[in-house]
Amino acid sequence: MADVTLTIDGQPVTVPAGTTLLKAAAQLGTAIPTICYHEHCTANGLCRMCVVEVEGQRLLQPACLVPAAEGLRVQTRSERVARSRRTIGEMLAASVDLSQAPELQAQLADYGADPERFPEAERRARPVIDDNPMYVRDYAKCILCWRCVQVCAEDAQYTFALSFDGRGYNTQIGTFFEKPLPETACVFCGQCVGVCPTNALKPKREWLLEQGQTPDEIMAQTRSGRRRKRG
Amino acid sequence: MNPADLTAITHREQEARGRHRCRVLCCSSTACLASGGGAAKDGLTRAVKLHGLEKNVQIVNTGCMGLCSLGPMMRLEAQGEPDTLYQRMTADSAHQVVDEQLVPYFQPGHTPTEAESEVGAHDFPHLRASLSQVRLGRGLDEHLLPQDMPFFTRQKKIVLARAGLIDPERIEDYIAHGGYTALAKALTQLTPEQVCAEIQASGLRGRGGAGYPTGLKWNHVRKADGPRKFVIANGDEGDPGAYMDRTLMEADPHSILEGMIIAGYAVGAQHGYLYVRGEYPVAVKRLEKAIRSAYRQGLLGDDIFGTAFSFEVDIRIGAGAFVCGEETALMASVEGQRGTPRMRPPYPAQNGLWNAPTLINNVETYGNITAILNEGAAWFAGIGTEKSKGTKIFALTGKLNHTGLIEVPMGITLREIVFEIGGGIPGGRQFKAAQTGGPSGGCIPAEHLDTPVDYESLKALGSIMGSGGLVVMDDASSMPDVAKFFMEFCVDESCGKCVPCRVGTVQMHRLLEKVTAGQGQAADLQKLENLCRLVQRTSLCGLGQSAPNPVLSTLRYFRHEYDALVANGR
Ligand SMILES: Cc1cc2nc3c(=O)[nH]c(=O)nc-3n(C[C@H](O)[C@H](O)[C@H](O)COP(=O)(O)O)c2cc1C
Ligand code: SF4
Ligand code: FES
C-alpha cells in the first residue's frame, strides 16, 4: 500500500496507508494509553481511552481504530484529550474494582484521575464464579474490554464458549444460559485468562493462594478431586 | 406484468368501485384498533347487512387518518356528496350512521327543498336523501368532524397521501391510486444514474434523524464496487412517543416497498431487507402481505416489468432495542449478531451488510421516492425551505387539544404546528416547550416558537429534527424531570459496548435524580455538564453522542429551574 504522511503532535511521520494512529504514534515513540486494545485481538474501539484529537473532526477519535491518512493533524494529549481520559478512568474506577489492574492504575495516576469522583452509581458487585478447576471469573473486576470473548471466538480459538448477558450498565460476560463452564464448549485453553487486563479472570491456583490456602492444601484438593473422579 | 397491466388493474378497481355508491373507510391502524375500532367496524358491518345494503356500501379497512386521539375514526364517501369524517366511533354510533344517513341516502329520488330540510330530517325520513343536508339526531352530530379543521387543512400530504384512503392489504387499491407507476417509469425509462440524479435534484434528505442527502447516499452506493449490494429500510423506530414509521408501514406498505425496489435498481442491489421492530405486529403483517402480493404480481422477483432487473425483499424483525435503529447495530442484528454499533467509517455504503455495499434509509425516506419520480424533482424541491425540502411527518403528542399524526411542509413554524394544527394548549395553560428528536433531541422554548421547522434551524436551537417525535409541554412540566426521563431511557437502551455511554448515562441519570429530588448542589450541576460534554465527544455511536442533548438543551433554556432545585433543596 502507498505511504501517507501525517503530523502527530507537530511531528511529521510517514507510514503505510491503513496503519492506525496508535501505531503511527508508536513509530514516533509517542505512547497513547489503551485499555481494550490488544495486539492480537480485533480492535473494537470501545474503552475510548485512546481517543485523540484529529483536526477538523468534532468528536475525539479512537487511535486504535482510525487509520492514518495523508495530511492528518493529530494531537495525542490536548487539554480535551487529557480531560476525557481522566474522566473515562474515573468512571471505570467508579463502576468496577480496579485494584488488580496495575496498568490501568498507572494510567489513572498519569492523568491525575480521582477514583472517588463519581460516587453516585453503585459499583458492579457480583459474586466470584468458581465453577471449574482451572480458573475463576470475578466479574466485579470486569471492564468489558471484550478481549476474552474475542479470543474465544474468531480471534483465536473458534470455541464460542463465552458471550454476553444483559446490556447497558448490566452487561456481563457469560456463558449461554449461564451454564457452568464445564458444561459449555470451553476447552480450558486459557487464552481468555491470558488477555484479561484486570485479573477478573484468574488461574484457580493463584486465586486459592490469595484466599490464604497453602500450596499443599491446594495440591491435596486436586488429588482428592482426581480420586473422586476415578472412584 | 408490464406497465399496461397497471392501467388494466386501475380500470378494474374503478369499475368495482363504481358499483358501490358508497364506501365507508374504517381506520384500522394500531391506535384506532386499540380504542375500539374493531367493534365499531363490526357494528357497521352488521347494520349494513341488516338493511341489505351490502351491494351498495363497501366497507374498507384503511390505515391512519391522523387524529388518533379522537379515534376510532371513519370516513364516509358517497357519490355526489362531500366526504364525511367521524370521530370516536362505537358499534352504536356506526349503527346510527347506517340508520340515519345511509338508509335515507339510498331511497331514490329525494332531494329536499330548503324549507323541507329546515324541519329536521329525522322527523321525515324521506327527506334525508341528501347527506349534506341531513339533520342528525340522538347525538350523532357529536361524532362528526369538520373537515375544515386546521388540523387537516394546514397539513400537506405527500408521504401520507394515500394513508387512510386505501386498503393497505390490497395491492390493487394501491395500484388504482397510482402505485407502481414510478417503478415502471424508473425501470423502463430511466438509467440508475438518472434515478439517483433525480433524487439528488429533489433535495430529499434522510428522515431517520440525521438528514443526510438521500441522492448523495444512493450515488455512493451505486458507485461502490461489489458483486452484491443490499438495500435496507429502517423501520425500527425506537424513540419514545414516536409512531410515524409504524403508521406509514400500516397505512401504505406498498409505497415503502416501491421506494425500496426503485432504490435497488438505482444502486444496483439485488436484495432488500425491511427491518421492523417486533412491537409492531400489524405493520409486520401488512408488510408481509404487501411483499407476497408484489411477488404474485411480478413486481418483486425476476425480470421486473420485463427488464433484466430482479429484486428480492425480506423482513427482519427486531427485538425492540432502540440501539438497533442505529445503522451498524441494525446490520449486525440482520446478520444474526448481538445488536451493537461499530465504528464508522467505514460507512455502510462502502462496507455494510455482510461487508457488501449497503444502502440504508428510513422508511419515510423511501415513502417520498414515488412522489419524486412521478411529480418530478423540481416539484418536490419547490416545497419547503432552501436546505430542507418536502414534508416531514410528526407524531404530535403531549399537552395539546389535538394530538395525532401530521405531515407538514418543511419550514412551517412551531407556532403553527402547536396552535393551529394542535389546537393550542388545553386547560387554559401556557405553552412551555416543544421537545423534538426524542432522547437525542432537545427542548425548544416559547421564545423560539416562530422558528421554521427545518434541519438547520432546529439544530441551531440545540435540538434536532429527529425522526419526528414532537412532544408539547405546558407550564406545569418540570424541565429537569423531562431531562431525567430521557436520560433514564438512554440508561435502559445503552448497548453497553463503550465506556462513556455505558457508565456515563448511569452517572448522569443519578446526578439528575439527585438534583430533581432537591438533594443536589451547584457542584453536581457542574459535574453533570462536564459529563455531558465527555459523553458527547467520546461515545462510540450516535446514541451516546446525543444522549446528553436533552440535558444540555434544558440547561440552556431552563437553567433557572435547575438552579432553583439546587438552591431550595438544601
Ligand atoms: C441510537 C440510534 C437510533 C436510531 N434509530 C433509528 C430508527 O429507529 N429509524 C431510523 O430510520 N433511523 C434511526 N437511526 C439513524 C440510522 O442510523 C440511519 O442514519 C438512518 O436509518 C439512515 O436513514 P436516512 O438517511 O433515510 O435517515 C438511529 C440512529 C441512532 C444513533
Ligand atoms: S454509545 Fe452507547 S449505544 Fe453506542 S456503542 Fe457506546 S454503549 Fe453502545
Ligand atoms: S484502546 Fe482504543 S478504544 Fe479502547
Side-chain angles (χ1 to χ4, degrees):
Chain A
M1 252 198 232
D3 283 354
V4 294
T5 301
L6 65 162
T7 26
I8 296 181
D9 297 333
Q11 283 177 273
V13 58
T14 303
V15 292
T19 309
T20 60
L21 297 183
L22 183 67
K23 292 218 167 114
Q27 197 169 312
L28 285 173
T30 305
I32 296 174
T34 60
I35 302 178
C36 65
Y37 178 78
H38 187 283
E39 194 61 42
H40 300 293
C41 295
T42 308
N44 280 308
L46 55 82
C47 74
R48 315 305 276 184
M49 195 58 156
C50 68
V51 287
V52 295
E53 193 111 39
V54 177
E55 208 174 275
Q57 297 269 357
R58 194 170 45 92
L59 305 174
L60 299 180
Q61 302 291 318
C64 67
L65 268 184
V66 173
E70 187 62 40
L72 277 194
R73 298 159 78 82
V74 180
Q75 297 259 347
T76 67
R77 206 164 172 162
S78 69
E79 171 57 29
R80 268 198 341 158
V81 165
R83 216 171 335 121
S84 300
R85 289 190 190 144
R86 186 169 67 230
T87 313
I88 287 171
E90 287 168 344
M91 288 201 299
L92 273 180
S95 59
V96 291
D97 168 15
L98 297 180
S99 60
Q100 297 189 15
E103 275 173 83
L104 256 145
Q105 292 208 338
Q107 287 170 4
L108 289 184
D110 189 14
Y111 284 89
D114 166 13
E116 306 298 326
R117 178 152 171 246
F118 294 110
E120 274 79 20
E122 68 281 354
R123 275 199 174 187
R124 175 202 268 284
R126 316 257 180 174
V128 176
I129 306 177
D130 170 21
D131 63 4
N132 70 81
M134 307 301 284
Y135 71 102
V136 295
R137 296 179 285 153
D138 181 3
Y139 289 124
K141 295 190 173 71
C142 170
I143 54 161
L144 293 165
C145 68
W146 288 25
R147 291 184 195 172
C148 55
V149 178
Q150 293 188 166
V151 289
C152 191
E154 281 108 335
D155 276 351
Q157 199 65 26
Y158 284 89
T159 298
F160 303 96
L162 296 177
S163 61
F164 300 95
D165 280 338
R167 60 178 186 157
Y169 200 63
N170 298 316
T171 311
Q172 182 171 312
I173 310 297
T175 56
F176 288 117
F177 304 112
E178 291 177 50
K179 287 198 173 170
L181 272 171
E183 291 173 30
T184 68
C186 177
V187 294
F188 299 98
C189 67
Q191 308 221 46
C192 54
V193 181
V195 294
C196 177
T198 60
N199 267 313
L201 305 182
K202 188 181 283 180
K204 178 88 173 255
R205 210 180 114 84
E206 195 181 322
W207 182 67
L208 289 173
L209 284 170
E210 277 172 21
Q211 304 295 304
Q213 297 201 9
T214 62
D216 283 346
E217 283 168 330
I218 297 170
M219 279 310 283
Q221 277 184 39
T222 48
R223 259 184 242 118
S224 62
R226 256 187 249 130
R227 260 202 301 280
R228 248 203 323 275
K229 226 173 195 164
R230 246 186 266 131
Chain B
M1 154 99 51
N2 59 52
D5 296 338
L6 293 177
T7 324
I9 291 176
T10 306
H11 285 321
R12 269 205 303 281
E13 280 294 299
Q14 281 164 348
E15 254 171 59
R17 235 187 109 172
R19 284 196 293 273
H20 294 94
R21 276 179 61 204
C22 181
R23 302 209 303 168
V24 186
L25 307 176
C26 304
C27 178
S28 57
S29 65
T30 297
C32 281
L33 289 178
S35 56
K41 186 189 162 202
D42 290 347
L44 180 77
T45 314
R46 270 198 308 276
V48 165
K49 273 213 184 102
L50 196 69
H51 291 287
L53 293 175
E54 301 100 312
K55 287 226 161 54
N56 290 312
V57 181
Q58 190 185 17
I59 298 173
V60 183
N61 269 331
T62 71
C64 180
M65 302 188 180
L67 254 180
C68 311
S69 57
L70 299 181
M73 300 214 11
M74 284 188 190
R75 170 189 287 271
L76 169 62
E77 299 176 349
Q79 280 173 21
E81 303 281 347
D83 292 358
T84 317
L85 261 184
Y86 303 90
Q87 56 169 330
R88 299 185 210 271
M89 292 302 279
T90 59
D92 281 351
S93 53
H95 218 291
Q96 242 182 320
V97 168
V98 178
D99 286 351
E100 298 182 18
Q101 295 190 283
L102 295 187
V103 171
Y105 173 74
F106 285 111
Q107 287 185 350
H110 288 285
T111 312
T113 65
E114 209 163 294
E116 279 173 332
S117 65
E118 279 293 294
V119 181
H122 45 278
D123 298 329
F124 301 96
H126 69 281
L127 295 180
R128 288 177 288 177
S130 170
L131 274 178
S132 49
Q133 286 166 298
V134 162
R135 287 268 190 101
L136 299 164
R138 288 183 287 148
L140 190 55
D141 49 349
E142 284 169 21
H143 292 277
L144 283 185
L145 258 181
Q147 299 221 37
D148 55 0
M149 276 171 79
F151 185 89
F152 298 111
T153 56
R154 295 302 316 245
Q155 294 196 45
K156 173 151 188 77
K157 301 216 169 177
I158 295 176
V159 180
L160 293 176
R162 284 170 296 256
L165 295 178
I166 64 167
D167 182 344
E169 303 202 13
R170 292 188 60 245
I171 191 170
E172 296 83 1
D173 209 0
Y174 178 71
I175 291 173
H177 283 76
Y180 289 106
T181 50
L183 177 64
K185 180 175 173 187
L187 292 190
T188 59
Q189 298 170 27
L190 302 173
T191 63
E193 292 87 328
Q194 286 172 322
V195 177
C196 290
E198 190 75 0
I199 301 302
Q200 206 160 348
S202 75
L204 175 66
R205 294 169 65 174
R207 302 296 193 234
Y212 191 81
T214 305
L216 205 59
K217 200 190 262 187
W218 286 28
N219 258 325
H220 286 319
V221 183
R222 182 175 65 80
K223 290 180 190 156
D225 284 330
R228 56 175 192 166
K229 297 181 187 176
F230 294 97
V231 165
I232 298 177
N234 188 344
D236 193 51
E237 191 168 56
D239 287 22
Y243 60 103
M244 305 74 54
D245 294 349
R246 181 190 77 204
T247 305
L248 178 61
M249 293 186 279
E250 287 179 359
D252 201 3
H254 282 286
S255 73
I256 299 167
L257 205 54
E258 188 179 352
M260 280 180 81
I261 307 172
I262 294 170
Y265 172 70
V267 304
Q270 308 79 32
H271 204 132
Y273 286 99
L274 256 158
Y275 191 88
V276 189
R277 64 186 291 194
E279 287 92 330
Y280 288 174
V282 180
V284 170
K285 184 181 125 218
R286 293 193 184 152
L287 287 165
E288 277 171 350
K289 191 151 185 188
I291 292 174
R292 271 202 307 276
S293 25
Y295 271 112
R296 208 174 302 127
Q297 296 283 2
L299 296 164
L300 277 176
D302 291 338
D303 307 334
I304 301 171
F305 282 126
T307 66
F309 175 65
S310 305
F311 197 68
E312 316 254 326
V313 172
D314 278 313
I315 295 188
R316 285 290 176 275
I317 297 176
F322 175 58
V323 76
C324 283
E326 195 280 338
E327 53 194 29
T328 58
L330 186 152
M331 293 186 306
S333 167
V334 171
E335 290 175 8
Q337 321 261 12
R338 183 176 160 91
T340 48
R342 62 150 172 82
M343 163 96 185
R344 296 177 316 169
Y347 289 95
Q350 266 72 51
N351 184 317
L353 204 54
W354 290 293
N355 299 322
T358 302
L359 173 73
I360 173 163
N361 275 127
N362 172 258
V363 291
E364 186 185 335
T365 311
Y366 287 115
N368 279 289
I369 302 302
T370 56
I372 293 173
L373 289 192
N374 282 327
E375 311 286 331
W379 163 81
F380 191 84
I383 304 163
T385 64
E386 192 198 334
K387 288 188 172 158
S388 305
K389 303 298 189 187
T391 58
K392 180 77 196 83
I393 307 178
F394 286 101
L396 194 56
T397 54
K399 300 290 170 55
L400 281 173
N401 282 312
H402 302 307
T403 58
L405 201 83
I406 59 167
E407 181 173 354
V408 288
M410 295 278 188
I412 190 173
T413 64
L414 271 174
R415 187 185 300 284
E416 289 169 286
I417 295 182
V418 171
F419 290 96
E420 294 184 28
I421 296 178
I425 319 291
R429 291 205 159 268
Q430 292 293 308
F431 171 90
K432 183 170 195 177
Q435 211 280 349
T436 63
S440 321
C443 292
I444 299 162
E447 64 255 37
H448 293 299
L449 266 174
D450 291 309
T451 308
V453 171
D454 63 42
Y455 292 98
E456 277 72 27
S457 306
L458 292 182
K459 200 164 175 192
L461 293 179
S463 187
I464 55 167
M465 173 80 79
S467 57
L470 208 170
V471 188
V472 172
M473 284 159 281
D474 67 14
D475 51 6
S477 332
S478 146
M479 299 319 273
D481 274 345
V482 171
K484 188 177 73 176
F485 167 81
F486 283 115
M487 192 55 75
E488 186 174 354
F489 179 84
C490 290
V491 168
D492 287 342
E493 296 299 334
S494 164
C495 81
K497 180 170 177 174
C498 71
V499 176
C501 169
R502 178 178 79 229
V503 188
T505 51
V506 173
Q507 294 287 352
M508 290 188 286
H509 182 244
R510 286 297 145 80
L511 285 168
L512 284 165
E513 272 186 329
K514 202 168 154 188
V515 168
T516 51
Q519 288 156 2
Q521 296 170 342
D524 291 318
L525 287 187
Q526 187 61 47
K527 211 158 84 173
L528 181 63
E529 263 189 290
N530 288 349
L531 271 177
C532 284
R533 305 272 173 224
L534 171 94
V535 174
Q536 238 179 3
R537 64 174 179 247
T538 59
S539 287
L540 193 157
C541 86
L543 194 156
Q545 287 158 14
S546 61
N549 289 359
V551 182
L552 288 169
S553 98
T554 48
L555 273 170
R556 174 167 163 189
Y557 296 114
F558 301 96
R559 183 159 203 123
H560 53 278
E561 292 189 24
Y562 286 91
D563 287 341
L565 280 168
V566 168
N568 301 337
R570 292 273 113 189

